[in-house]
């Protein structure tokens, strides 16, 4: 089964939806326009139920098949939010909102799932129910967690859930997936080093918080190199270093550091939290300073379920002719929260030779739309074949 002909016919229309969304990016939970556009289209398609306000600004559409002897309910999820990036593509449909941009392709994900929803509403050639999920705040806000906390899975009786992300560098419209841990847990840490400030010409009268903090930054690198098993995946990165004084002749009283930890297991999450706290506090104490550490558990590891991954790969091969083994990804993905509640799988679809995601020159490739739409539609029609 190659790409469905209906999606080739719908490509100009879906492309227009995608480019409209691209022009009007919205960040985190502030997806009010996007959510309204999605709800309006789902209603126009004839979805049996359209519900807004789930997970604050999420939208859910329910589409019933021609029959329901199977009793199966499958969820399909797309993310809607953009990033706080100033777009530099020069496109005719570039962002009209300064400082906001669809730099990760969520405009494409939303458009593709809308296309699949239109097709499924037209044909209903399946035995069961499909729930299309449009989620806000994937980019750091935990919108997937919010939708789950609102009882989405129970309310709509979702039994399995599937998601998709475009992937620059992969051949256009091709697929890749892996079973088990796939995307990393993305924890955060916040460290405040408190010393004793003073004149830069009299360091002996101070406890130099900058020197202490610099030692902490260096020591944190040993978590990956000397504490974690060398064959495991762990990244500890200090990404912000701010002193309480900006003067040339002042030793600052305080240094505030922020960073991220990426891991593929709960054991390494525990290890990172323990070592970041111990190293920061012991180094600070050795210099006569203090360290306050706040470790925030953010997105968990996103792990695909074995049976659903095999099925998703089978569908991908039917659509594009192949489905490769995807690499581990140290980026985060809050579809993890949905996969913790229900079995399912997450797949990558090739975006071609484009700028990487989160880059100001990135753009979603509209030519990937038919493959993405076909994969979602075929997930439904193969998992719940018409009676």
């Amino acid at each position: 089964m190659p790409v469905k002909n209906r999606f080739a016919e719908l490509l100009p229309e879906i492309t227009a939806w995608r480019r409209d969304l691209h022009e009007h990016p919205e960040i985190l939970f502030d997806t009010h326009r996007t959510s309204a556009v999605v709800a309006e289209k789902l209603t126009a398609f004839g979805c049996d139920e359209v519900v807004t306000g789930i997970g604050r600004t999420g939208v859910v559409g329910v589409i019933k098949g021609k029959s329901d002897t199977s009793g199966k309910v499958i969820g399909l999820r797309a993310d809607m939010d953009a990033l706080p990036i100033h777009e530099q593509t020069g496109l005719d449909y570039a962002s009209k909102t300064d400082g906001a941009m669809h730099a990760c392709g969520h405009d494409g994900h939303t458009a593709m799932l809308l296309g699949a929803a239109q097709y499924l509403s037209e044909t209903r050639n399946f035995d069961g129910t499909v729930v299309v999920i449009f989620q806000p705040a994937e980019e750091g806000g935990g919108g997937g967690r919010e939708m789950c906390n609102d009882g989405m899975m129970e309310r709509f009786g979702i039994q399995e859930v599937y998601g998709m992300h475009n992937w620059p560098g992969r051949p256009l419209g091709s697929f890749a997936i892996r079973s088990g841990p796939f995307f990393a847990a993305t924890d955060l840490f916040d460290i405040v080093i408190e010393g004793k400030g003073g004149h830069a010409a009299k360091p002996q009268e101070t406890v130099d918080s900058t020197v202490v903090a610099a030692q902490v930054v260096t020591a944190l690198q040993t978590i990956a190199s000397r504490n974690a098993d060398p064959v495991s995946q762990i990244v500890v990165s200090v990404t912000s270093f701010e002193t309480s004084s900006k003067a040339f002749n002042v030793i600052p009283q305080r240094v505030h550091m922020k960073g991220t930890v990426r891991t593929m297991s709960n054991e390494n999450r525990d290890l990172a939290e323990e070592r970041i706290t111990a190293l920061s506090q012991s180094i600070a104490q050795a210099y006569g300073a203090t360290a306050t550490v706040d470790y925030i558990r953010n997105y968990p590891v996103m792990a695909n379920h074995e049976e659903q991954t095999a099925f998703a790969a089978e569908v991908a091969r039917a659509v594009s002719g192949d489905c490769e083994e995807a690499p581990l990804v140290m980026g985060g993905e809050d579809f993890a929260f949905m996969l913790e509640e229900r079995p399912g799988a997450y797949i990558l679809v090739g975006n071609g030779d484009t700028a990487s995601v989160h880059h100001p020159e990135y753009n979603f490739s509209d030519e990937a739309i038919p493959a993405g739409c076909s994969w979602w539609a075929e997930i439904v029609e193969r998992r719940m074949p018409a009676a």
Side-chain angles (χ1 to χ4, degrees):
M1 195 287 302
V3 167
K4 291 182 180 291
N5 291 335
R6 180 61 174 140
F7 294 122
E9 296 169 3
L10 287 171
L11 180 57
E13 187 175 3
I14 300 172
T15 296
W17 301 342
R18 202 280 295 182
R19 295 185 178 188
D20 173 70
L21 294 173
H22 191 91
E23 278 190 85
H24 301 93
E26 296 174 302
I27 294 171
L28 292 173
F29 291 99
D30 293 328
T31 57
H32 303 290
R33 180 188 185 275
T34 305
S35 299
V37 167
V38 167
E40 180 182 358
K41 291 192 182 301
L42 294 178
T43 300
F45 298 159
C47 288
D48 296 281
E49 187 179 2
V50 178
V51 182
T52 60
I54 298 181
R56 293 160 64 173
T57 47
V59 182
V60 169
V62 178
I63 307 166
K64 297 183 181 298
K66 289 179 179 177
S67 58
D68 188 19
T69 62
S70 72
K72 291 182 179 178
V73 182
I74 289 178
L76 309 177
R77 173 271 202 175
D79 34 21
M80 300 187 291
D81 58 317
L83 283 158
I85 294 175
H86 182 74
E87 183 164 349
Q88 297 177 18
T89 61
L91 295 166
D92 293 341
Y93 54 88
S95 170
K96 292 181 178 178
T97 304
D98 189 45
M101 175 193 175
H102 270 295
C104 204
H106 296 184
D107 51 341
H109 304 163
T110 297
M112 288 191 294
L113 188 53
L114 282 172
Q118 179 172 358
Y119 167 85
L120 292 167
S121 296
E122 290 172 352
T123 59
R124 300 184 184 258
N125 190 32
F126 55 94
D127 180 47
T129 302
V130 60
V131 178
V132 288
I133 303 162
F134 295 86
Q135 179 209 305
E138 190 281 323
E139 297 288 358
R145 174 180 53 216
E146 294 297 309
M147 294 189 86
C148 289
N149 287 346
D150 264 1
M152 176 183 69
M153 297 297 185
E154 296 78 14
R155 176 173 177 177
F156 297 100
I158 297 169
Q159 298 165 358
E160 295 182 347
V161 64
Y162 296 87
M164 182 194 308
H165 203 293
N166 77 94
W167 210 249
R170 284 204 57 77
L172 195 63
S174 67
F175 292 92
I177 198 170
R178 70 182 297 120
S179 183
F182 191 174
F183 279 58
T186 59
D187 295 338
L188 313 173
F189 60 86
D190 197 294
I191 304 171
V192 176
I193 303 294
E194 189 83 22
K196 180 183 177 183
H199 199 293
K202 298 180 178 182
Q204 76 280 8
E205 296 179 359
T206 74
V207 175
D208 193 334
S209 59
T210 305
V211 171
V212 177
Q215 296 295 322
V216 171
V217 172
T218 301
L220 294 185
Q221 308 315 304
T222 66
I223 297 171
S225 67
R226 288 298 177 267
N227 298 139
D229 187 327
V231 301
S232 66
Q233 295 81 26
I234 182 168
V235 177
V236 180
S237 296
V238 177
T239 56
S240 176
F241 191 104
E242 184 177 1
T243 61
S244 58
S245 171
K246 306 302 179 188
F248 287 96
N249 60 348
V250 174
I251 290 175
Q253 176 86 9
R254 183 182 302 107
V255 173
H256 185 192
M257 296 184 291
K258 296 180 181 180
T260 185
V261 175
R262 306 299 172 100
T263 57
M264 283 290 179
S265 70
N266 287 329
E267 291 77 14
N268 272 343
R269 294 180 93 180
D270 294 340
L271 171 69
E273 181 173 6
E274 186 274 324
R275 295 306 297 150
I276 288 172
T277 302
L279 287 167
S280 301
Q281 293 179 346
S282 61
I283 290 170
Q285 182 181 24
Y287 283 90
T290 61
T292 303
V293 181
D294 188 14
Y295 191 94
I296 303 111
R297 301 232 171 185
N298 193 30
Y299 294 179
V301 175
M302 192 197 74
N304 277 343
H305 296 250
E306 185 176 359
E307 178 191 346
Q308 286 72 24
T309 300
F311 170 66
E314 173 191 320
V315 172
R317 284 190 289 270
V319 171
S320 70
D322 192 21
C323 184
E324 294 186 1
E325 175 89 356
L328 290 169
V329 179
M330 297 310 287
E333 170 54 66
D334 85 340
F335 189 62
F337 293 108
M338 297 190 188
L339 289 178
E340 284 189 333
E341 294 220 355
R342 295 293 186 272
Y346 190 80
I347 200 166
L348 307 180
V349 61
N351 202 54
D353 186 17
T354 66
S356 64
V357 293
H358 294 219
H359 189 282
E361 295 181 2
Y362 164 87
N363 187 37
F364 178 84
S365 295
D366 294 316
E367 294 82 1
I369 287 172
C373 291
S374 295
W375 182 80
W376 260 320
E378 194 70 4
I379 284 284
V380 173
E381 292 182 346
R382 286 192 178 219
R383 203 61 163 171
M384 303 185 294

